[in-house]
Amino acid sequence: MADEDFVEFAQATAGRLRDAAFLMCRDWHLAQDLTQTTLAKVYANWRRVRRADDPHAYARKILLRCMIDQQRRRSSRELAMSAPPERSEEHPAELRMTLLDAVATLPLRDRAIIVLRYWDDLSVETTAEVVGVSTAVVKSQSMRSLNRLRELLGETRSELFAEERH
């Protein structure tokens, strides 16, 4: 029975965890690894986790800890990409910048706060619990990070969102 509960939980949660991991690390392979590690840790503690108020919050917290641990172990700041970025002299750098590029410039904790708040649509309180900071920190860092993203994207911001509408 417990294994069936976990399988159902893992199937319902894995996609969101992987997407959140990707937004934090920008590497699909690493995001998949982090998701698998997270689910393995959740499974190891499943008896306790399934009785928790919010097993999904527990999983998100484990994912963030795995991401932080991985970043500490990483010997370089290389970013895995499927293809080298195109360099075009016709377009200024602001036009080549994407939202993911801008988010990647944020420190890991700020990136996690932005992903959890605006991608996973978590409340300030839940985000604070997952990241392990106060609600005031979540609010102030969200505001600072959003301002930083607006600054980085500049005029590109309207072009990015205009493409989404088409």
Side-chain angles (χ1 to χ4, degrees), residues 24 60-68 112 116 130-131:
M24 286 188 251
R60 286 188 294 266
K61 185 177 278 192
I62 295 301
L63 175 67
L64 179 59
R65 288 180 181 164
C66 289
M67 178 69 197
I68 290 168
L116 293 171
V130 170
V131 178

Side-chain angles (χ1 to χ4, degrees), residues 4-19 35 39 46 55-56 59-60 120:
E4 292 171 7
D5 289 345
F6 175 76
V7 168
E8 185 178 316
F9 171 82
Q11 288 173 339
T13 307
R16 291 294 288 181
L17 288 173
R18 186 190 63 242
D19 291 347
T35 302
L39 290 174
W46 183 242
H56 298 282
R60 286 188 294 266
D120 276 349

Side-chain angles (χ1 to χ4, degrees), residues 25-153:
C25 71
R26 301 210 38 221
D27 177 342
W28 280 113
H29 300 288
L30 178 57
Q32 186 66 34
D33 290 347
L34 292 169
T35 302
Q36 293 299 320
T37 301
T38 298
L39 290 174
K41 289 181 179 195
V42 168
Y43 181 72
N45 295 300
W46 183 242
R47 289 183 189 181
R48 183 171 40 94
V49 173
R50 73 178 178 169
R51 290 188 304 262
D53 289 338
D54 187 358
H56 298 282
Y58 180 88
R60 286 188 294 266
K61 185 177 278 192
I62 295 301
L63 175 67
L64 179 59
R65 288 180 181 164
C66 289
M67 178 69 197
I68 290 168
D69 290 346
Q70 187 280 331
Q71 187 174 15
R72 286 180 184 149
R73 286 189 306 264
R74 197 169 195 173
S75 62
S76 71
R77 297 260 182 206
E78 292 180 346
L79 178 63
M81 302 178 99
S82 59
E86 291 183 21
R87 299 285 182 206
S88 171
E89 298 304 317
E90 299 174 19
H91 303 291
E94 293 84 13
L95 293 179
R96 290 192 313 263
M97 184 178 283
T98 64
L99 186 55
L100 290 177
D101 292 333
V103 170
T105 66
L106 299 173
L108 179 59
R109 185 179 76 175
D110 296 349
R111 206 175 329 149
I113 289 171
I114 292 296
V115 169
L116 293 171
R117 283 283 294 132
Y118 302 105
W119 175 259
D120 276 349
D121 200 26
L122 299 182
S123 68
V124 171
E125 294 77 16
T126 304
T127 301
E129 183 181 325
V130 170
V131 178
V133 297
S134 70
T135 57
V137 169
V138 170
K139 290 176 184 178
S140 66
Q141 291 308 114
S142 293
M143 183 181 70
R144 286 185 186 129
S145 296
L146 289 175
N147 284 337
R148 176 71 180 140
L149 292 173
R150 287 183 188 108
E151 195 178 282
L152 286 170
L153 293 170

